[in-house]
Every structure is written in structure tokens, then in C-alpha cells.
């Protein structure tokens, strides 16, 4: 067993490991250890520190098992602690001794202290994820000051302060940044445009206000942008058309107004997810919408869009699966005998001023499982084939 390098005994809560801790001490060559939902005794957990070659450690959901200091594991590069019980409520300062640490993931802890700057100053730290720690105080300014070399930063449902620091743009090495559900306030800064390597930016479920800065048009590497559930105002900016790598765009539940800049959106050939519902957008949906042929989801619901929209204008949307046009001032029309090239899974056309017979194209939608045609003026009979859409 001393030659074993990888061990995963997760999800074996009734595994008999209580008789002795010698079994783990004998695994001198172990490099990767995963313990999740395993009911271990204290001496077994403490024996982990005797593994000299351990580089990756995952410990999660071990109720009743106190977490011992692991600062002697100086070869550790990956540490993931999920729901493990600390012996104290202060931040485990021994993490600052893990000088080889590259990735640190701390999830769902009842820590009421601040994160020490010594942890942020670890020389090789590149990936930091803090999820579901509402009492853990993490100062964004301190992260920028001490950990500007991070390539991945995810802080979710934690206390990161209320404002985005002006120095955030100095984190030019970031490729992924997820700071959602943190009650962050204030405006997005011009300096964010300096983060040209960023591929994922998620700031949803905060209280960010103001307009989107034009400098974001320099974030050419972005593939995913989620700013939903904020208080962002102003028009949908034309610079979005510069983000040619964008695949996922979610700006729903804000206060955006004005027309949809379809000429800009039409320059995003990779866009597969577009959600701009629940804003104050107006104007029409012209036929140029059909240029976004890679879309899988389109949500423009709950705005003030108007005019007549023919569903056949989506003729090129061969990949679309989720379509929502509900709760606008649109008049949606469906031509008789039209057979689309797509197969929908969800269709929301509530309050779309539809009239005439029940739309016959739905008989060709064999995969649909969510359909909303409420609050329209459809007449005639409900066709028998509808009940065959199992």
C-alpha cells in the first residue's frame, strides 16, 4: 500500500475506519487524498499531516470530525475544505504555512473572522474560491493588494465589503471572476477594461448600479458575462459587439432601457445564451435577429418591446431550445403551415397578442416540456395532437 498515490474513499459514511489510524500513516507515497462524507475519528484526520508527499487534499462533509492544523503539509498544492467542522471559529491561520498552495477552496464554513493577508500572500496561490461563508470577511482591496497574481477568483455569498475597489483593474492575470450574491454596491469601474485575459465575469445578485463602462469593450477574451439581478441602468451598449468570443450573456433583472442593439449583437457568432428579460427595453425585434444562428436560449420577456414579430424570423435558429417573448407589447404571429427547423424544449408566449387558431407548428415540437400561451386571444378548438406531446 505504500506505493498508492491516489485514494478516494468518499461517500462511505459507514466505512469502518475507527480501529486504528496506522493504515493512513503507512501510505507514505500518497499524493492525492479525497475524504467526503466519511465518519472518521480525530486520530485518523490528524494522521493526514504525516503524509510527506501529499499534494492534493479534499475533505468535505465530515460531521463531528474536528479539523486539525495541516500546516506541515508544505507540498500541498490543492486544498479543498467543504463543510468540515473547524475546532474554532476563527480563520485557520495554518493555511498560510502551505507555501506550495496553488488552489484553495473553502465552502460553507461558520467562520466569523477576517481572512488573513498572509494567506493571500502565498507565493504560488492562483485559484481562490470562497463559497457560502456569509460571516467570513474578505476585503477585495486586500485581495488586489496581496493576491494580484490570481488567475481565478470566486467569492459567493460572503462578506466582501460593499464597494468594488478602484484597483480591481490591476488584477490583469484574472481569467475567471465570480463575485455574485455578495451585496456589492456601487458602479462598475473603467479600470475593468484592463482585465483583457478575463474569460468569465459573474457579478449577478448584487446591487451594482450605473451604466456599463465603455472600457468593457476591451475585454476581448470574455466568453461568459453575467450581470443579472442588479440595478444597472442606461442603454445596452454597442461595445458588446466587440466581444466576439462571447457565448453566454445574461443581463436580465436590471433597469436597462432603449432599443436592443441588434446590429452589435449580430456580430457575436458564438453567442448561444442571451437573456435580457425583465428590463425596460423598447423598440421592435427586426429580422436581423436571425443572424444569431448559434442561440440555444433567447429571453427578451417582461420588457416594453412592440411591433409585429413573425416567428418565422427565427428560421435560422436551428439550435434554439428555449424561447421567451412573454409580457411585452409585441404581437406575435405564426404563419399557417410553417414548420420550423428547430426543436424547442420551452416556449413562453404569454401576453403576446396572439389570435387565430391554436398554432399548428407546435405539432412538430416533439421535445417541448414547458409551454405558456396564456393571456392571448386564441380561438377554435384545442387540437387533439396537443395531448400527444408527451
Amino acid at each position: 500500500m505504500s506505493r498508492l498515490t491516489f485514494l478516494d474513499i468518499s461517500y462511505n459514511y459507514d466505512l469502518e475506519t475507527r480501529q486504528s489510524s496506522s493504515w493512513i500513516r503507512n501510505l507514505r507515497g500518497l499524493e492525492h487524498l479525497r475524504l467526503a462524507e466519511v465518519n472518521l475519528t480525530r486520530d485518523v484526520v490528524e494522521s493526514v499531516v504525516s503524509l510527506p508527499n501529499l499534494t492534493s487534499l479534499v475533505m468535505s462533509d465530515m460531521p463531528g470530525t474536528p479539523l486539525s492544523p495541516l500546516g506541515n503539509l508544505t507540498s500541498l498544492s490543492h486544498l479543498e475544505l467543504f463543510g468540515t467542522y473547524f475546532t474554532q471559529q476563527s480563520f485557520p491561520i495554518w493555511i498560510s504555512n502551505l507555501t506550495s498552495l496553488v488552489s484553495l477552496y473553502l465552502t460553507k464554513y461558520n467562520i466569523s473572522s477576517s481572512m488573513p493577508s498572509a494567506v493571500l500572500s502565498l507565493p504560488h496561490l492562483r485559484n481562490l474560491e470562497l463559497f457560502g461563508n456569509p460571516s467570513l470577511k474578505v476585503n477585495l482591496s486586500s485581495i488586489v493588494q496581496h493576491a494580484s497574481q490570481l488567475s481565478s477568483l470566486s467569492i459567493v455569498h460572503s462578506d466582501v465589503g460593499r464597494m468594488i475597489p478602484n484597483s480591481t483593474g490591476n488584477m490583469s492575470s484574472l481569467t475567471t471572476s465570480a463575485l455574485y450574491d455578495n451585496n456589492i454596491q456601487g458602479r462598475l469601474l473603467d479600470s475593468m477594461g484592463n482585465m483583457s485575459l478575463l474569460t468569465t465575469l459573474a457579478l449577478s445578485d448584487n446591487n451594482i448600479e450605473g451604466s456599463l463602462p465603455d472600457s468593457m469593450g476591451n475585454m476581448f477574451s470574455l466568453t461568459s458575462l453575467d450581470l443579472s439581478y442588479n440595478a444597472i441602468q442606461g442603454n445596452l451598449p454597442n461595445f458588446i459587439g466587440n466581444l466576439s468570443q462571447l457565448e453566454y450573456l445574461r443581463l436580465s433583472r436590471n433597469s436597462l432601457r432603449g432599443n436592443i442593439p441588434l446590429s452589435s449583437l449580430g456580430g457575436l457568432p458564438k453567442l448561444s445564451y442571451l437573456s435580457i428579460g425583465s428590463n425596460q427595453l423598447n423598440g421592435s425585434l427586426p429580422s436581423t435577429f436571425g443572424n444569431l444562428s448559434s442561440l440555444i436560449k433567447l429571453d427578451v420577456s417582461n420588457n416594453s418591446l412592440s411591433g409585429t414579430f413573425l416567428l418565422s424570423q427565427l428560421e435560422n435558429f436551428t439550435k434554439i431550445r428555449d424561447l421567451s417573448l412573454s409580457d411585452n407589447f409585441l404581437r406575435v404571429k405564426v404563419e399557417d403551415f410553417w414548420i420550423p427547423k428547430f426543436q424547442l424544449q420551452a416556449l413562453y408566449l404569454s401576453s403576446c397578442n396572439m389570435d387565430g387558431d391554436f398554432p399548428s407548428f407546435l405539432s412538430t415540437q416533439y421535445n417541448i416540456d414547458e409551454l405558456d400561451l396564456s393571456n392571448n386571444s386564441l380561438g377554435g378548438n384545442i387540437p387533439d395532437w396537443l395531448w400527444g406531446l408527451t
Side-chain angles (χ1 to χ4, degrees), residues 221-237:
S221 299
L222 271 183
T223 61
S224 177
L225 176 61
D226 187 352
L227 302 174
S228 60
Y229 289 86
N230 279 291
I232 298 172
Q233 303 163 343
N235 296 333
L236 270 173

Side-chain angles (χ1 to χ4, degrees), residues 321-364:
R321 299 293 179 265
D322 189 326
L323 174 64
S324 180
L325 306 178
S326 296
D327 299 304
N328 284 284
F329 301 111
L330 290 170
R331 184 186 181 196
V332 175
K333 298 188 68 175
V334 185
E335 297 91 327
D336 293 336
F337 309 112
W338 174 60
I339 299 178
K341 299 176 183 178
F342 49 72
Q343 284 291 324
L344 293 172
Q345 295 176 348
L347 176 63
Y348 306 94
L349 296 176
S350 174
S351 302
C352 284
N353 297 298
M354 298 178 67
D355 55 19
D357 294 335
F358 201 90
S360 60
F361 83 94
L362 289 173
S363 65
T364 67

Side-chain angles (χ1 to χ4, degrees), residues 24-41:
I24 198 169
R25 289 196 181 98
N26 293 332
L27 302 177
R28 307 292 292 175
L30 199 63
E31 298 176 7
H32 307 276
L33 175 62
R34 186 178 180 90
L35 305 170
E37 294 191 25
V38 182
N39 195 6
L40 302 179
T41 57

Side-chain angles (χ1 to χ4, degrees), residues 293-325:
S293 57
S294 295
L295 277 182
I296 296 174
K297 178 183 176 70
L298 172 62
D299 179 9
V300 296
S301 64
N302 196 25
N303 281 289
S304 297
L305 301 172
S306 59
T308 299
F309 185 75
L310 303 177
L311 278 186
S312 59
Q313 291 174 208
L314 303 177
E315 187 68 25
N316 296 328
F317 284 42
T318 56
K319 299 179 181 179
I320 196 163
R321 299 293 179 265
D322 189 326
L323 174 64
S324 180
L325 306 178

